[in-house]
């Protein structure tokens, strides 16, 4: 980034405001567009070796090839995961792909909120209250201190979730590819059999695609909860819907969903939404679906913007 410039694609108004406020502190000039990067707008990157993209941007070989021809050498995704980018092809055309870290508190807080909502049947409570039915529900809620919670993935977010669960007095089981300290770290099948609730915080890779498939969902306790604030495809969503409809599982809270691209972050009121699996889930009173919003806090947004700039500077060997 000899010119200390960065082209920022898929940038909403709030992100744009943060880039304009933060970039000057590092002597960086951002070129900002709300359009997702595509072959047709690669010219916006010319002159800048670093570009930033959002987590919804699909960077397939044709786009990456054109970016390379335009002189782009580094793509920074404003997310922890980069399953939306063909990293191997990027490498083959001389482009390095990097992600950014942001405060894990946003997703960790949201995860606990969703778990509490499941444990207290909050969706049904709110629906009854909105209809002016103020009777107590048929089933009593459960205290988190009485639950065994399985945390799959013990990176920064998973570790932050564990810390919060300890504050509530829950028994916590963890599973990850590497060792973990200070928790009951167990094989995945043991975690599924023993947990009253399972929350997913592992990256989406070919190995973790449908990590909770039909077979593993069947190993879970009857009436257990599933929370997913990671990536939609960590779950076999059709199998999850079957388990919920049969009563094998007690509820699910999903901030991410297979097939969410083109659906989440858009206003579909007044139009027919062709998403049968979503409709199937939303018909169930013990399912909460939110539109990939767990990360969306002021602190996390500013962290993401600042760390995007810092990773680009580091790639160029420029000290901040």
């Amino acid at each position: 980034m000899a010119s200390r410039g960065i082209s920022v694609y898929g940038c909403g108004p709030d992100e744009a405001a943060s880039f304009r406020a933060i970039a000057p502190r590092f002597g960086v000039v951002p070129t900002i567009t709300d359009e997702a990067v595509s072959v047709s707008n690669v010219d916006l990157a010319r002159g800048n070796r670093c570009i930033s993209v959002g987590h919804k941007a699909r960077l397939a070989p044709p786009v990456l090839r054109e970016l390379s021809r335009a002189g782009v050498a580094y793509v920074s995704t404003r997310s922890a995961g980069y399953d939306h980018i063909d990293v191997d092809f990027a490498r083959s055309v001389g482009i390095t792909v990097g992600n950014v870290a942001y405060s894990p508190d946003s997703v960790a807080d949201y995860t606990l909120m969703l778990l509490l909502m499941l444990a207290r049947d909050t969706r049904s409570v709110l629906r009854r209250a909105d209809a002016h039915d103020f009777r107590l529900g048929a089933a009593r809620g459960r205290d988190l201190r009485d639950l065994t919670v399985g945390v799959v993935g013990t990176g920064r977010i998973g570790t932050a979730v564990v810390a919060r669960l300890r504050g509530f007095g829950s028994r916590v089981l963890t599973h990850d590819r590497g060792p973990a300290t200070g928790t009951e770290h167990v094989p995945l099948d043991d975690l599924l059999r023993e947990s009253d609730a399972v929350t997913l915080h592992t990256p989406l890779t070919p190995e973790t695609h449908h990590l909770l498939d039909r077979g593993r969902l069947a190993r879970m306790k009857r009436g257990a909860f599933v929370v997913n604030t990671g990536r939609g495809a960590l779950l076999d969503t059709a199998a999850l819907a079957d388990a919920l409809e049969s009563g094998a599982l007690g509820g699910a809270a999903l901030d991410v969903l297979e097939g969410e691209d083109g659906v989440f972050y858009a206003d579909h009121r007044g139009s027919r939404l062709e998403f049968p699996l979503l409709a199937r889930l939303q018909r169930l009173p013990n399912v909460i679906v939110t539109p990939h919003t767990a990360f969306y806090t002021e602190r996390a947004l500013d962290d993401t913007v600042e760390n995007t700039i810092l990773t680009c500077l580091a790639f160029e060997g420029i000290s901040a």
Side-chain angles (χ1 to χ4, degrees):
M1 194 158 41
S3 63
R4 290 204 174 210
I6 178 174
S7 296
V8 185
Y9 287 90
C11 190
D14 48 358
E15 288 182 303
S18 289
F19 268 105
R20 293 189 178 105
I22 294 172
R25 293 184 358 219
F26 300 98
V28 171
V29 179
T31 300
I32 297 172
T33 177
D34 60 358
E35 297 177 3
V37 63
S38 67
V39 171
S40 64
N41 60 21
V42 161
D43 280 348
L44 292 174
R46 293 193 185 278
N48 292 333
R49 281 166 45 87
C50 176
I51 72 165
S52 169
V53 300
H55 71 275
K56 289 294 185 182
R58 294 287 168 185
L59 269 67
V63 176
L64 291 164
R65 187 181 296 110
E66 291 305 311
L67 288 170
S68 178
R69 289 172 178 166
V72 172
Y74 188 81
V75 172
S76 175
T77 176
R78 299 188 299 280
S79 59
Y82 41 83
D83 49 284
H84 52 296
I85 301 174
D86 190 331
V87 176
D88 290 336
F89 187 84
R91 188 182 301 112
S92 75
V93 293
I95 294 177
T96 300
V97 175
N99 58 351
V100 296
Y102 53 87
S103 167
D105 296 336
S106 57
V107 178
D109 287 353
Y110 202 88
T111 297
L112 264 291
M113 179 190 75
L114 292 177
L115 180 55
L116 284 163
M117 290 178 73
L118 289 173
R120 302 301 296 267
D121 193 24
T122 302
R123 185 182 182 203
S124 294
V125 171
L126 292 175
R127 283 186 162 186
R128 289 197 305 273
D130 285 344
H132 293 174
D133 179 356
F134 300 114
R135 294 173 295 173
L136 292 176
R140 287 171 292 181
R142 302 183 67 185
D143 292 344
L144 290 194
R145 70 175 183 173
D146 295 327
L147 301 185
T148 296
V149 182
V151 179
V152 181
T154 51
R156 296 171 69 250
I157 293 173
T159 298
V161 170
V162 169
R164 284 157 173 76
L165 287 167
R166 284 177 171 159
F168 280 93
S170 303
R171 178 193 177 203
V172 182
L173 303 178
T174 60
H175 173 80
D176 208 334
R177 289 172 297 177
T181 58
T183 62
E184 292 186 62
H185 207 53
V186 298
L188 180 57
D189 284 351
D190 291 349
L191 180 148
L192 297 175
R193 279 192 294 266
E194 295 187 40
S195 296
D196 300 296
V198 173
T199 178
L200 301 176
H201 303 285
T202 191
L204 178 61
T205 67
E207 291 73 30
T208 61
H209 182 269
H210 284 185
L211 182 67
L212 295 194
D213 58 13
R214 190 173 298 275
R216 285 192 170 125
L217 289 169
R219 296 184 189 113
M220 294 181 64
K221 279 186 177 182
R222 185 167 187 83
F225 304 132
V226 176
V227 178
N228 189 8
T229 55
R231 287 291 184 268
L234 294 172
L235 276 169
D236 180 339
T237 315
L240 175 68
D242 287 343
L244 291 163
E245 289 170 345
S246 71
L249 292 179
L254 311 173
D255 186 54
V256 289
L257 196 62
E258 288 185 289
E260 69 179 63
D261 290 349
V263 177
F264 288 178
Y265 303 156
D267 185 352
H268 298 281
R269 291 175 297 178
S271 63
R272 183 177 178 84
L273 183 59
E274 297 295 337
F275 198 162
L277 191 54
L278 174 60
R280 186 179 169 192
L281 290 167
Q282 289 186 313
R283 281 194 293 269
L284 296 169
N286 56 346
V287 175
I288 300 163
V289 178
T290 59
H292 205 147
T293 193
F295 72 97
Y296 194 55
T297 66
E298 293 179 2
R299 179 184 292 274
L301 179 65
D302 286 345
D303 281 353
T304 299
V305 170
E306 181 168 329
N307 289 330
T308 294
I309 294 168
L310 289 173
T311 57
C312 288
L313 290 170
F315 176 75
E316 294 292 355
I318 299 174
S319 174

